[in-house]
Structures are given as structure tokens and as C-alpha cells.
Amino acid sequence: MSDGSDNEGASQGKARVQEYIPQLQQLLKALNKNENAFPFTEPVDWKALGLMDYPKIIKHPMDLSTIKKKLDKGKYTFVSDFLDDVHLVWNNCTTYNQPGSDVYNMAVDMRKSSEKLLSKLNIPTVAEAPAQKKPSSDKKRARSSDEEEDSDIGDTVSFKMKQKFSQRVKKLTSEMLGRLVRLLQKECERAVTESGQDELEINVDAVDVETFRKMDKFVRACLSKQKKAKKAKAK
């Protein structure tokens, strides 16, 4: 029988909000002072704006004032939970609004600003587990199970999932990366933008949940093929 120590150990690997309250408060203050912050400081008043389809498209509304209230009331346990909400603000905006529109560009700018601030304030963006002994075969199986769960995406895509997806994309060959871009252009064209010098950039925040699920599955399949090919070549 398990005494629950495995779950406790898993949570110990995540940065807790209580350890970073000053930095998180500073992050929110800096974001609110940004010249492009005004569309994101309060909940979207979709009725007053006549955006009657907003609740149908945006299932989980979020804004900076709501995040501050949740932080002040101790609603967040881990830093990753806090960051998921911050990125949900930008993600909601790029999901609802057309690429190239003023508010869309503001969300992109705010996302970049938040990422720079995270680095500047030394706020952990990925859970860092404490150093441990080499895992046993049982723990390896548990880790594989966790990775499978990570691919089970629900109604929203967390910041951590986006980070892992970006890390996997960097491991793709040029050919597979090209296939991913073409597939993404077909499924969600606004998520692929030109970054200059004939280079294309994938904006993960602009990808809807269903498309993200397809892209993640495609990338995982590509990496699996690459791994098998390397093993076969080594024999």
C-alpha cells in the first residue's frame, strides 16, 4: 500500500507561491504599468462591448486584477499555477482577436514583456525537482505514466505544456519542422508569422486547444521516429 509519499515528493519538486510572493507581486505591478496593459487589467466586459460570442470562444476568462485577487487570497499553491493564469490572459486575447489587430499585437507584446520579467525577477518557470538518487524501475514507470498524462490536454493548455512543446519542437529535424509548419498553417494560419529574413515563427499562444493537441501528437510521433531511426543506425 502507498502512504502517499510519492505524491508528496512530486509536489516538493514544484516552486511554491509562498516562497516568491514579493517577486510575483512585483511582476504584476510591472505588467500593469506597461503601456499596452489597459485591455488586460480588468475582466472583459463583453456585454458592454457587444462581443456576444466571447463566452462561446473563451471558456476561461482571465485578467490581471483577478490574478492579483487570487494571489492576495492565497488561491495559488504553486508558481506554475500563477503563471498559467498570466499566460491565459494573453492566450485568450490572441485566440479571440484577429492577428494584426491592435489588441492582438498588444497581447503579443505583453507576453514577451512577461517572459523578460520572469527572467529578470528570477521567477522559476519550470518546476525544478531537488536532486535525487537514480530512480528505480518503479519510479521510471511512474515517470512514463506522468508523461502520458501530460499529453492528455483538457480544455486549456497550461504554460508548462507550452514550454515542453517548444522544447520538443527544437529537437525536430529541418524536414519535420517544415512539415509541422505546413500542418500548422493549414490548421491555424494565424499561429505562424514571418520574423524576417524569410524565417517563420510559431506563436504557441495563438494556437487553439484542439490544434495544439494535434500538433503535440504530431511532434511526439516525429521524435519517436527519430529515436527509433538512431537506434537502428547504431546497431
Side-chain angles (χ1 to χ4, degrees):
M1 289 182 64
S2 172
D3 59 1
S5 59
D6 289 343
N7 289 334
E8 182 180 349
S11 65
Q12 287 176 349
K14 292 185 177 181
R16 292 184 173 272
V17 162
Q18 289 301 322
E19 300 171 8
Y20 294 90
I21 290 292
Q23 293 98 313
L24 298 180
Q25 290 175 335
Q26 192 174 348
L27 172 66
L28 287 177
K29 286 182 180 179
L31 290 175
N32 274 288
K33 289 181 180 179
N34 190 298
E35 62 180 359
N36 292 317
F38 66 89
F40 314 106
T41 56
E42 299 291 338
V44 174
D45 191 349
W46 56 270
K47 288 184 179 179
L49 295 171
L51 308 176
M52 300 309 168
D53 60 344
Y54 191 83
K56 297 179 182 179
I57 298 174
I58 303 303
K59 302 300 183 183
H60 302 279
M62 188 52 59
D63 64 278
L64 296 178
S65 66
T66 299
I67 294 173
K68 184 180 185 304
K69 290 175 183 176
K70 290 177 69 174
L71 182 64
D72 292 343
K73 292 180 179 180
K75 297 294 185 181
Y76 297 113
T77 301
F78 302 110
V79 172
S80 58
D81 300 328
F82 171 91
L83 295 179
D84 284 346
D85 274 356
V86 171
H87 285 270
L88 182 59
V89 178
W90 327 136
N91 191 34
N92 283 347
C93 182
T94 55
T95 296
Y96 184 78
N97 296 282
Q98 290 296 320
S101 64
D102 289 343
V103 71
Y104 182 100
N105 291 337
M106 287 177 178
V108 172
D109 179 80
M110 291 297 292
R111 175 172 57 84
K112 292 179 180 178
S113 296
S114 64
E115 290 172 353
K116 290 180 181 178
L117 285 167
L118 288 173
S119 177
K120 183 178 180 181
L121 296 172
N122 293 320
I123 298 174
T125 56
V126 180
E128 297 179 357
Q132 298 176 353
K133 295 180 180 179
K134 189 175 182 180
S136 64
S137 57
D138 289 340
K139 289 184 178 179
K140 286 181 179 179
R141 283 195 292 271
R143 183 178 297 176
S144 297
S145 176
D146 290 340
E147 291 174 352
E148 289 175 5
E149 289 179 7
D150 184 39
S151 65
D152 186 16
I153 302 166
D155 294 333
T156 60
V157 181
S158 70
F159 177 56
K160 186 177 180 181
M161 288 178 180
K162 292 176 185 178
Q163 279 195 316
K164 287 188 175 182
F165 175 78
S166 297
Q167 290 168 358
R168 294 187 185 108
V169 169
K170 291 178 181 178
K171 297 178 183 178
L172 295 177
T173 62
S174 298
E175 179 186 355
M176 290 181 174
L177 183 58
R179 288 171 58 190
L180 173 63
V181 170
R182 288 192 294 273
L183 187 59
L184 190 53
Q185 286 176 320
K186 180 181 178 181
E187 297 286 340
C188 187
E189 187 176 358
R190 64 184 179 184
V192 181
T193 57
E194 293 185 9
S195 59
Q197 297 182 346
D198 296 326
E199 293 184 358
L200 296 176
E201 181 177 310
I202 296 176
N203 180 9
V204 181
D205 284 339
V207 180
D208 60 87
V209 177
E210 186 60 34
T211 302
F212 184 90
R213 188 182 287 112
K214 292 179 182 178
M215 297 302 102
D216 190 53
K217 185 177 181 180
F218 173 80
V219 171
R220 287 170 182 268
C222 287
L223 292 179
S224 178
K225 289 181 180 179
Q226 286 183 196
K227 190 175 182 180
K228 289 179 181 178
K230 286 183 179 180
K231 283 185 178 180
K233 190 175 181 180
K235 289 182 180 180

